[in-house]
Amino acid sequence: MPNETGYRAVEETYDVVVCGGGLAGFCAAVAAARHGARVCLVQDRPVFGGNSSSEIRVPPQGAASFHAYARETGIVHELLTEERARNHEEATFDNGWINSVWDMVLYDTAMKTPNLTFRLNTSVTRVAMKDERTLEAVVCRVQHAETELTLRGGVFIDCTGDGLVAAFAGCEWRLGTEGRDEFGEPHAPERASDAVMGNSIHFKAKDTGRPVPFSAPDWAVAYDDPDFFYKQGRWPGEIRSGYWWIELSVPWHTIYDNETLRHELTRHVLGIWDWIKNKDPELSVAAANYALDWIGQVPGKRESRRIVGEYFMTEHDPLEKTAFPDEAAYGGWFVDLHEPGGLLAPFSERAAAEGHSGAYAAKSYVGPYGIPLRILIARGMNNLMMAGRNVSVTHAALGTVRVMGTTALMGQAAGTAAAYAVRTGIPIREVPTRGIRDVQQALLRDGCFLLHAKNEDDRDLARRASVEASSEAALSGTAGVRREANGSDALTARRGQWIAVGEDRIDALAVCVSNGSETPQPITARLYAVEHLWDYRVEPGPPLAEAVLTVPAGEEQWIEWPVGLRTAALRGAYVRLDLLENPQVRWHAAEGVEPGHVSAYDLGTGQMRRYSGGVTMSFRVSPAQHCYGAAQVVSGVTRPYRYTNLWRSDPNEPLPQRVTLTWPEPIRIGRVELTFPGQLLRDYRSYPALYRDPQCPKDLVVEAYEDGRWTEVGSLAGNYRRQAAVVPSHPVVADRLRVTVTATNGDASAAIYEIRCYAEVDRTIGTPATEQGGGARDDAAT
């Protein structure tokens, strides 16, 4: 029936209502639904993804852009793995390169998620309150449908970016920049202000194969000064797509003046393209055959309201890596604070203006660091959460938590906690104290990673098993070297290589180096015990061993260091081999990446330099370290961190290869859950079109030793996803279970991070990306 406005009135009731369908809201809704809650996801645009959608086209980034093996996992990893497997276009270069394949991956996931209802093109217009601390409903208007929706819920999650629901509910919020006197944050300005980071629109250009003229309209902004670009950190060299620095905020308001900002940004985009096509002497030649293919008309926002929560996170927390008891997500992007005003300011970002190796940038690198659940819960409210860029942080802390890889993790944490609150009846404000262990264990089982938690699920029967494998890889070093044409392998700064210890001793180490001078060159080598892969401390402690190695003049020489170190106390951990600065010497990278073994450049800052952790340096170790043992599948961690945490078969042994779990007495097995390698090392943009990670098992068989014989209980075929589950057609009772990898997506070794076994057939805390039972289905192909 129509209401007083003439609109059709519709009322619906859900357990959880998520407002905002960007990556934070999308992951929150999917997580809550997978945990059994009845969920409605409200999105005011026709597509999901927010800033990452085809309307705005900002590629999701996060910790993996700075830290090797720090890729965000869980729902966002599942989505991006699917995008790479389906997308015919090469990975994104930067803003402007996302197409509708990504939109459809999100839409397809929403369609396939039980318990999830979604309303696109639907805007929240007001809220209804049960009392001053409790939301009863959000009232929404469906665009172009003359429909008003009243959505009642038990828990509401504000993922609108602008914090619209919380503002309507009367929550405390902040907008602007805190002064340094309030929290003493290093990146806070001396005085507080209303200034915020700006909104952006982007463009994409296409090589047409022939010269294409361009004439800017007279209303476009005119750019004539090359210093604006080249001396103020606004590099326009990548012709194919738009730039993060096309950004405006003050003097306009990023919420109320959004339409004005869209128009002004369009004027600037056309003026910048005019500079590229017609004015810059070098770019105009390079861009001669390029034509504008797309210009965004939905501004992407970085900052507006920030809702005050049960904890208010400051910049000190990521800088000092605060360990929170209610850790529910993590971040690792740098403290990325764009200059208010953007294109109207002297520079758009200080770190870019001075170069990312400058002092300002060095003080900005953080993480990985933990994020507490309490910043996702509105202070004083009984049933309101938030996720995304509107969470409870200062302006300075927002600089690191605002990127979409991180907000997606916060969204999954919020959705998981909301469903837990609904299921248990525990008020959402009490979940960080009364239910955090259950929420953390649910997140880990769903594929997420937490810095200070590991699998301790009492229901996981695999934790009680002994484990052996048909073969295990051993680390003897790297094969082949890669010489950098630009000389970036020169030891112009201290470099480090992490090495996993799997034996009681290290007799010798060797590195492949070149000396282009005419005289022998000394290099100082040091070996340190480190806490984990992201321990970038210049001096983690006293060196375990130290030597000065002499490098004769010549190319690609293996220089041996007789370390003679006893390492029994270090088994199951990493050591770091550092070579100190000598620009005359080049330490060559290996041809390939040894799983779980990464390097860092410029360790003298004590911080990871951007994009530097994706290679393995050349090294040899004697004796070979057995660091990929079968027991790693029950280590409780599903990525390289404090150790490799990976079973990897001997690459010299042909497939099939298997892992066998054995229990002292028969147990009931109703479900087997598996976690594999897959796109963990780097940011997803590093992976090509139609990509399937070679390390990921493609085909495998799961068998149980039942009634005196091995019986197949399930299989996978054509898999390329990181998580999968095999559900037998009926529960089996067995004292042994084996997983046999018959084919990978290209790698010579079979590899598995984790095996879990559960007695129950149904997954009570969520649904994995892939489920197959009895060997009959191939969901990996759907």
Side-chain angles (χ1 to χ4, degrees):
M1 294 291 294
N3 59 19
E4 65 275 7
T5 66
Y7 278 56
R8 180 181 61 164
V10 177
E11 291 194 10
E12 297 170 350
T13 301
Y14 298 90
D15 296 323
V16 178
V17 177
V18 181
C19 301
L23 286 189
F26 189 87
C27 292
V30 171
R34 287 181 176 181
H35 282 270
R38 293 174 296 111
V39 180
C40 185
L41 173 59
V42 180
Q43 165 70 329
D44 64 357
R45 303 302 308 168
V47 292
F48 297 117
N51 282 344
S52 74
S53 75
S54 64
E55 290 190 315
I56 301 174
R57 304 193 184 189
V58 179
Q61 294 190 67
S65 296
F66 292 84
H67 311 279
Y69 286 111
R71 176 84 173 266
E72 293 79 7
T73 47
I75 294 169
V76 68
H77 188 276
E78 172 188 331
L79 296 169
L80 290 169
T81 297
E82 197 64 31
E83 188 273 346
R84 285 293 81 204
R86 294 187 191 184
N87 205 330
H88 57 281
E89 279 197 312
E90 293 301 314
T92 57
F93 298 101
D94 207 336
N95 305 306
W97 207 258
I98 288 172
N99 60 25
S100 289
V101 173
W102 175 237
D103 295 341
M104 289 299 103
V105 166
L106 295 167
Y107 197 90
D108 183 46
T109 300
M111 286 294 296
K112 290 178 177 177
T113 300
N115 305 317
L116 177 60
T117 299
F118 56 86
R119 305 295 185 204
L120 295 174
N121 296 304
T122 300
S123 301
V124 176
T125 58
R126 62 185 187 277
V127 303
M129 304 292 293
K130 185 177 297 183
D131 55 53
E132 64 180 8
R133 292 179 177 271
T134 309
L135 266 73
E136 182 176 13
V138 292
V139 181
C140 313
R141 184 161 293 177
V142 184
Q143 300 167 26
H144 314 301
E146 297 185 5
T147 298
E148 186 173 84
L149 281 175
T150 299
L151 302 174
R152 304 182 187 278
V155 177
F156 295 83
I157 308 178
D158 185 344
C159 301
T160 61
D162 288 338
L164 185 66
V165 174
F168 282 149
C171 295
E172 181 184 354
W173 51 268
R174 294 188 175 205
L175 189 149
T177 302
E178 289 81 9
R180 190 170 300 170
D181 60 341
E182 185 169 7
F183 298 108
E185 296 172 301
H187 286 87
E190 290 295 331
R191 295 184 179 181
S193 74
D194 293 334
V196 299
M197 292 178 280
N199 299 357
S200 290
I201 64 173
H202 305 296
F203 71 85
K204 179 183 176 184
K206 181 179 181 180
D207 187 346
T208 66
R210 62 183 185 275
V212 180
F214 175 77
S215 178
D218 57 9
W219 49 269
V221 174
Y223 283 99
D224 299 299
D225 182 5
D227 288 354
F228 176 85
F229 300 103
Y230 301 113
K231 292 185 179 180
Q232 297 178 19
R234 302 182 179 101
W235 181 69
E238 178 51 70
I239 296 169
R240 293 173 288 187
S241 57
Y243 317 122
W244 61 264
W245 46 261
I246 301 177
E247 173 184 358
L248 291 170
S249 57
V250 292
W252 298 286
H253 194 286
T254 55
I255 299 176
Y256 305 133
D257 297 326
N258 193 45
E259 180 58 19
T260 300
L261 286 166
R262 180 204 58 77
H263 171 67
E264 291 297 320
L265 286 162
T266 302
R267 295 178 62 230
H268 282 275
V269 167
L270 293 169
I272 291 165
W273 185 247
D274 184 44
W275 167 267
I276 292 171
K277 286 286 289 185
N278 300 320
K279 298 178 180 179
D280 188 288
E282 295 185 8
L283 290 179
S284 59
V285 175
N289 292 352
Y290 280 82
L292 281 177
D293 189 57
W294 170 85
I295 299 177
Q297 288 296 284
V298 179
K301 293 184 181 180
R302 290 180 178 84
E303 182 179 9
S304 50
R305 295 186 188 94
R306 294 168 282 113
I307 313 305
V308 177
E310 292 293 299
Y311 182 83
F312 196 60
M313 186 173 177
T314 72
E315 184 189 2
H316 297 294
D317 291 316
L319 288 177
E320 297 169 9
K321 302 180 180 64
T322 304
F324 296 103
D326 60 328
E327 180 181 301
Y330 71 94
W333 189 263
F334 76 119
V335 181
D336 185 7
L337 296 171
H338 294 206
E339 195 71 7
L343 292 167
L344 304 184
F347 50 82
S348 291
E349 181 194 73
R350 187 178 298 274
E354 70 172 11
H356 277 279
S357 60
Y360 182 88
K363 293 188 295 185
S364 303
Y365 294 129
V366 295
Y369 58 86
I371 295 174
L373 182 63
R374 285 168 294 160
I375 74 166
L376 311 181
I377 300 173
R379 188 166 72 185
M381 299 297 292
N382 292 326
N383 64 342
L384 178 60
M385 305 185 73
M386 54 272 185
R389 60 182 173 84
N390 58 356
V391 296
S392 181
V393 296
T394 62
H395 166 82
L398 184 68
T400 171
V401 305
R402 65 182 174 81
V403 291
M404 284 182 281
T406 307
T407 62
L409 295 183
M410 293 191 288
Q412 184 162 356
T416 302
Y420 177 82
V422 169
R423 184 170 64 251
T424 62
I426 295 176
I428 192 64
R429 289 170 59 192
E430 297 181 18
V431 172
T433 53
R434 294 177 59 188
I436 189 59
R437 183 183 185 277
D438 290 339
V439 171
Q440 289 174 337
Q441 290 302 310
L443 289 167
L444 293 174
R445 187 176 177 184
D446 290 341
C448 294
F449 169 74
L450 297 172
L451 289 158
H452 300 98
K454 65 178 184 178
N455 176 16
E456 296 177 340
D457 188 347
D458 295 333
R459 294 175 298 169
D460 177 12
L461 303 172
R463 297 176 61 228
R464 310 175 195 172
S466 59
V467 190
E468 60 182 6
S470 53
S471 72
E472 297 175 351
L475 175 73
S476 58
T478 56
V481 298
R482 188 178 78 219
R483 297 185 64 187
E484 304 295 342
N486 60 3
S488 62
D489 50 4
L491 283 170
T492 55
R494 182 176 185 158
R495 300 188 181 185
Q497 170 63 51
W498 279 255
I499 301 172
V501 179
E503 301 298 323
D504 291 341
R505 69 186 200 276
I506 295 177
D507 294 338
L509 292 166
V511 293
C512 186
V513 293
S514 293
N515 173 7
S517 74
E518 297 179 353
T519 59
Q521 293 292 326
I523 50 172
T524 299
R526 293 176 184 168
L527 196 65
Y528 293 94
V530 289
E531 292 184 359
H532 46 67
L533 278 185
W534 308 313
D535 187 347
Y536 308 131
R537 291 175 295 169
V538 178
E539 298 291 340
L544 300 169
E546 182 175 3
V548 176
L549 309 179
T550 300
V551 183
E555 299 295 311
E556 295 184 17
Q557 306 170 79
W558 283 96
I559 306 300
E560 185 166 306
W561 175 18
V563 180
L565 182 67
R566 293 292 176 179
T567 55
L570 297 171
R571 289 185 66 180
Y574 280 107
V575 294
R576 194 181 76 208
L577 170 63
D578 287 6
L579 296 188
L580 275 57
E581 178 181 347
N582 183 338
Q584 300 295 326
V585 176
R586 301 191 307 280
W587 185 8
H588 301 298
E591 282 186 331
V593 175
E594 177 72 19
H597 290 78
V598 298
S599 64
Y601 290 54
D602 196 5
L603 278 164
T605 64
Q607 301 283 349
M608 171 61 86
R609 289 277 304 280
R610 188 176 189 178
Y611 304 128
S612 63
V615 300
T616 303
M617 303 306 292
S618 63
F619 72 91
R620 292 174 181 167
V621 58
S622 176
Q625 304 293 304
H626 288 82
C627 56
Y628 300 112
Q632 298 304 314
V633 302
V634 290
S635 72
V637 183
T638 57
R639 70 175 67 205
Y641 177 38
R642 299 185 186 276
Y643 201 52
T644 61
N645 300 309
L646 176 71
W647 167 67
R648 187 168 180 248
S649 71
D650 186 343
N652 299 309
E653 296 290 332
L655 298 176
Q657 295 287 321
R658 63 180 55 88
V659 175
T660 302
L661 281 67
T662 303
W663 291 268
E665 56 188 28
I667 61 166
R668 172 189 167 97
I669 302 172
R671 185 183 186 87
V672 180
E673 297 179 3
L674 304 159
T675 301
F676 307 127
Q679 301 182 37
L680 281 181
L681 179 63
R682 301 183 179 96
D683 171 2
Y684 95 101
R685 299 175 306 160
S686 302
Y687 299 97
L690 305 175
Y691 182 77
R692 301 184 178 205
D693 196 307
Q695 293 183 80
C696 187
K698 180 180 180 182
D699 303 327
L700 61 78
V701 176
V702 178
E703 300 167 288
Y705 196 73
E706 189 179 25
D707 298 327
R709 61 189 178 91
W710 287 104
T711 303
E712 181 178 326
V713 297
S715 63
L716 295 177
N719 178 65
Y720 54 87
R721 299 181 178 101
R722 173 169 156 80
Q723 283 192 287
V726 169
V727 182
S729 56
H730 64 276
V732 299
V733 177
D735 65 354
R736 277 172 281 177
L737 180 127
R738 67 186 185 190
V739 179
T740 302
V741 177
T742 57
T744 69
N745 283 282
D747 197 73
S749 293
I752 299 175
Y753 277 117
E754 184 172 69
I755 300 175
R756 292 179 180 230
C757 298
Y758 292 90
E760 67 269 21
V761 174
D762 295 329
R763 181 181 174 90
T764 57
I765 61 169
T767 303
T770 306
E771 287 191 12
Q772 300 176 8
R777 288 173 23 197
D778 181 8
D779 287 352
T782 60

